Amino acid sequence: MQWETVIGLEIHAQLATKSKIFSAASTAFGAEPNTQACAVDLGLPGVLPVLNAEVVRMAIKFGVAINAEIGHESVFARKNYFYPDLPKGYQISQFELPIVGKGELPITLEDGSVKLIGVTRAHLEEDAGKSLHDQFPGQTGIDLNRAGTPLLEIVSEPDMSSAREAVAYARKIHALVQYLEICDGNMQEGSFRCDANVSVRPVGQKELGTRAELKNINSFRFLERAINYEIERQIELIEDGGEVVQETRLYDADKHETRSMRSKEEANDYRYFPDPDLLPVRVTDDDIDAIRASLPELPEQKRQRYIAELKLSEYNAELLSGSREISQYFEAALEAASNQAAALANWILGDLTGAMNKSEQEMSFADAPIAPQQLAGLIARIADNTISGKIAKEVFEAMWNGEGDADAIIESKGLKQITDSGEIEAMIDEVIAANPGQVEQFRAGKEKVLGFFVGQIMKQSKGKANPGQVNQLLREKLKS
Ligand code: ADP
Ligand code: MG
């Protein structure tokens, strides 16, 4: 039997407001437990929620960026359930009328082709508190600081058919919310969380299989692993005569497995109803147009501009527009070396990314030890023939180690390329005189020996002789 996978993602992006969605309490991360939840967040009697206008603007920004229909009237609803970290007994969310309706997002697949992933909806809601299971032996602590923190829940269509595609989509959303400056994207702190709905079905079958929802995934690497584990589990289960049950499963990264957490509630278990304390949110076309006009250049536009204007390859354009940080680095470097887009792309995606990956602590482009202007300075010296590409690697390493700008390093280490033809000729003469055997071989037609001579001269010049000149002068001398 051939199986096919179906995946839909629910992403919770914490909106980067200073205060909560319905109260003035702070949303800052890391405060002492229970110091940032006010009476409104706890739903104490006699208080009323007041909507934070900023969250509406942020949600619309997102909606416009994925070409979605924006709800001109959206409604907050109570989602009722009991849990210790939800003292109100309900979460304020949106149900029938979300702020963002159907939209779409293109992802680039490994073979370079583009696939459109549908976004079903994105709605506003408040976060719950947190249960702390590991701080008091035998007891559970409750920290309500997070209660009332604004979230945008982004629900995809079940359009992805592999873990790779799901990760590509999640990364795209992750990059987009950061470009839009509506979410800091910090997965460790839980500002960006993915739940994956996974099902399998025999190839060719129309209707969807029963899905499991995977929670507790806090990195893209784990997202891919959790989905792949779950696909295998479901296929094995069905092939052994079992049946997948609709449930929520927790991913355990240490054991690399998913475990059943609870059977899945149906929407009607939540007894959704419009929150009587909050008015419907009305948005006009003018509001939407104003927000659209304020958007920064988005990843997809950047990608296309990099290809059309900067003549970058599809692959490099995709990578350099893939996150706000890398595009900022690239564009800052480009400002300092405007006609060197291709060389910059190669250095950023090659040597710089390589060095960053090798470094011991996790490193972002914002704190790379080589500033974009410094990298531009190095590339300018290659372009004007002051150094060869090979020597440039040495300069790069010195810059990485904090030894200064390219010019200073080239000067202090004496790395300037030798382009004086007199000097190069003198070296050639010496090498020719010392190797009469090889000279004879070359004259007898063995072209390959040329490489030997070039090597000798580069060695003698410590890599500094201009390779083009060496080749040309060497040929002339050997033939004469
Ligand atoms: P719920 O509100 O119970 O979480 P939804 O119908 O809103 O359920 O769907 C949640 C997510 O699950 C969506 O991203 C959707 O695309 C995805 N999904 C729904 N059915 C399936 C299925 N059979 N297989 C995989 N994903 C699915
Ligand atoms: Mg759900």
Side-chain angles (χ1 to χ4, degrees), residues 390-465:
K390 202 158 170 224
I391 292 286
K393 305 256 177 201
E394 200 178 326
V395 179
F396 178 89
E397 214 175 292
M399 285 206 294
W400 181 268
N401 294 327
E403 292 174 38
D405 291 344
D407 285 338
I409 293 165
I410 293 166
E411 182 65 39
S412 70
K413 292 192 185 261
L415 296 176
K416 211 165 170 303
Q417 184 157 242
I418 301 166
T419 50
D420 173 8
S421 51
E423 210 174 318
I424 295 174
E425 276 181 65
M427 284 189 278
I428 292 174
D429 289 341
E430 237 177 87
V431 172
I432 286 180
N435 299 283
Q438 277 84 351
V439 175
E440 223 163 274
Q441 287 178 5
F442 180 83
R443 290 189 176 143
K446 209 168 161 200
E447 275 275 327
K448 273 207 319 221
V449 189
L450 196 71
F452 163 79
F453 283 109
V454 173
Q456 291 296 307
I457 290 153
M458 293 315 278
K459 199 164 141 197
Q460 201 176 2
S461 70
K462 299 203 175 68
K464 291 189 292 185

Side-chain angles (χ1 to χ4, degrees), residues 10 114 225 240 317 467:
E10 290 165 281
V114 170
R225 285 198 199 159
D240 288 349

Side-chain angles (χ1 to χ4, degrees), residues 152-193:
L152 186 65
E153 176 171 343
I154 304 157
V155 182
S156 85
E157 290 290 304
D159 281 349
M160 289 149 277
S161 44
S162 69
R164 285 283 175 89
E165 285 184 25
V167 170
Y169 166 81
R171 282 187 185 280
K172 266 266 153 107
I173 296 274
H174 187 242
L176 182 60
V177 295
Q178 290 178 80
Y179 267 106
L180 293 168
E181 296 184 310
I182 63 172
C183 172
D184 68 19
N186 190 326
M187 296 179 87
Q188 293 318 310
E189 293 180 1
S191 316
F192 188 90
R193 319 197 278 267

